[in-house]
Amino acid sequence: MADTRRILKVFLASPGDLKDERRTANNCVNRVNSQWFNYLGYHIELVGWEDTISGFGRPQAVINRDLDQCEYFVGLMWKRWGSPPDNSGQYSSGFEEEFRNSVERRQKNDSPEISLFFKDIEDELVSDPGEQLGKVLNFKKKITEEKIVLFENFDSIQDFEEKFSRCLSKYVNDLHAAERNKRVIETQENLRNKGTLLDSADTISGTADDSPFSANGVKFLRGLILDGGDNNGKDKIDSLDVARFRL
């Protein structure tokens, strides 16, 4: 059972030709939440343009405010590129603005995580794509050339469901591991800052009669504070070390 609870907001971006996939994405989120919430303490909340509350201002700018609160951007593309979000001409679709804003934010702040999925296109359509599909293919080509996002292809609802669920589970588990390691490092730093706890292992060992620590306890504390381990060849503190220290 997890000690903490946290909401993880995932933004789902796509043009209007992937309604079935968007519904499936909700099912994936519900399944991952049921698998990991009690164990890791993270609850995924899927956010999309459907969830944006009406308000004054440029519609895409209102959507972007929701996007900026999300820690994970997921983009889905198929045959349609979408329509321009305004009359300025800077972006040719709302999806493009959402994606580029997310990439820029990731480069500045190391967040959000970004995943892209492209649904397979029939060969006969690729040979004569038309305006909308042509823009999708050009975007995919540019993503391939830029080499900043590793995308995945899918050929069916079932294939997308499997791949998206895997991405969500990996994201949650990687986040949990990173935050756990951060807590361990902070614990180690706090211990090291309390240098008076151990002037040296020899000092404590030399006054064993007055010390609350056993010989094994001295060895463990010396490794924990000075070496980041227990002198058994480990490179860092693990959860077992933390538990032993608390005892």
Side-chain angles (χ1 to χ4, degrees):
M1 182 70 68
D3 295 330
T4 61
R5 297 289 185 268
R6 187 152 82 83
I7 301 295
L8 303 176
K9 291 190 175 184
V10 177
F11 190 89
L12 184 64
S14 76
D17 59 341
L18 288 159
K19 294 180 180 179
D20 290 341
E21 283 77 8
R22 294 184 74 87
R23 283 193 291 267
T24 298
N26 271 295
N27 295 336
C28 293
V29 166
N30 292 336
R31 185 179 305 111
V32 170
N33 281 336
S34 67
Q35 291 173 339
W36 295 112
F37 176 66
N38 287 331
Y39 180 59
L40 299 181
Y42 300 117
H43 179 82
I44 298 172
E45 180 181 311
L46 198 63
V47 179
W49 54 263
E50 309 97 324
D51 306 301
T52 300
I53 298 174
S54 176
F56 180 80
R58 187 172 69 95
Q60 186 62 51
V62 178
I63 294 173
N64 289 348
R65 288 198 289 269
D66 289 338
L67 169 64
D68 289 343
Q69 298 177 26
C70 293
E71 300 167 79
Y72 193 177
F73 173 91
V74 178
L76 309 180
M77 299 298 294
W78 190 23
K79 298 177 182 178
R80 290 193 55 78
W81 179 244
S83 56
D86 52 40
N87 298 321
S88 70
Q90 182 178 2
Y91 298 104
S92 59
S93 73
F95 175 88
E96 182 186 20
E97 182 170 347
E98 292 159 1
F99 174 74
R100 290 301 171 188
N101 285 354
S102 296
V103 169
E104 182 178 350
R105 188 157 63 96
R106 173 59 186 261
Q107 291 170 336
K108 289 181 179 179
N109 306 320
D110 201 32
S111 177
E113 181 61 81
I114 297 175
S115 291
L116 285 177
F117 296 89
F118 290 89
K119 190 172 183 178
D120 290 345
I121 305 294
E122 298 90 333
D123 292 339
E124 57 269 24
L125 292 179
V126 174
S127 61
D128 185 19
E131 181 182 3
Q132 284 285 311
L133 179 55
K135 290 180 178 180
V136 173
L137 296 176
N138 287 336
F139 172 71
K140 187 175 183 180
K141 181 174 181 292
K142 189 173 183 179
I143 292 299
T144 303
E145 293 171 348
E146 288 178 342
K147 302 184 187 304
I148 59 173
V149 177
L150 180 62
F151 61 81
E152 295 193 58
N153 298 306
F154 67 95
D155 58 15
S156 65
I157 288 289
Q158 292 76 19
D159 190 27
F160 169 69
E161 184 174 16
E162 178 182 341
K163 290 177 177 178
F164 183 52
S165 295
R166 187 176 67 240
C167 282
L168 288 176
S169 293
K170 183 179 185 303
Y171 172 67
V172 169
N173 279 278
D174 286 352
L175 182 63
H176 174 68
E179 293 186 345
R180 180 187 59 196
N181 288 339
K182 181 181 178 181
R183 289 194 298 270
V184 168
I185 291 172
E186 288 174 349
T187 299
Q188 182 176 335
E189 288 299 320
N190 288 336
L191 289 172
R192 283 174 174 160
N193 290 336
K194 296 176 181 178
T196 54
L197 222 161
L198 282 180
D199 292 329
S200 71
D202 292 337
T203 300
I204 290 184
S205 298
T207 58
D209 292 340
D210 301 323
S211 171
F213 303 110
S214 66
N216 286 335
V218 168
K219 180 182 177 183
F220 169 71
L221 283 173
R222 181 183 183 279
L224 190 69
I225 296 173
L226 302 179
D227 303 328
D230 62 359
N231 292 331
N232 289 327
K234 291 189 294 185
D235 294 329
K236 61 182 181 180
I237 301 173
D238 58 24
S239 56
L240 180 59
D241 290 331
V242 174
R244 289 176 62 192
F245 174 74
R246 288 174 175 172
L247 291 173

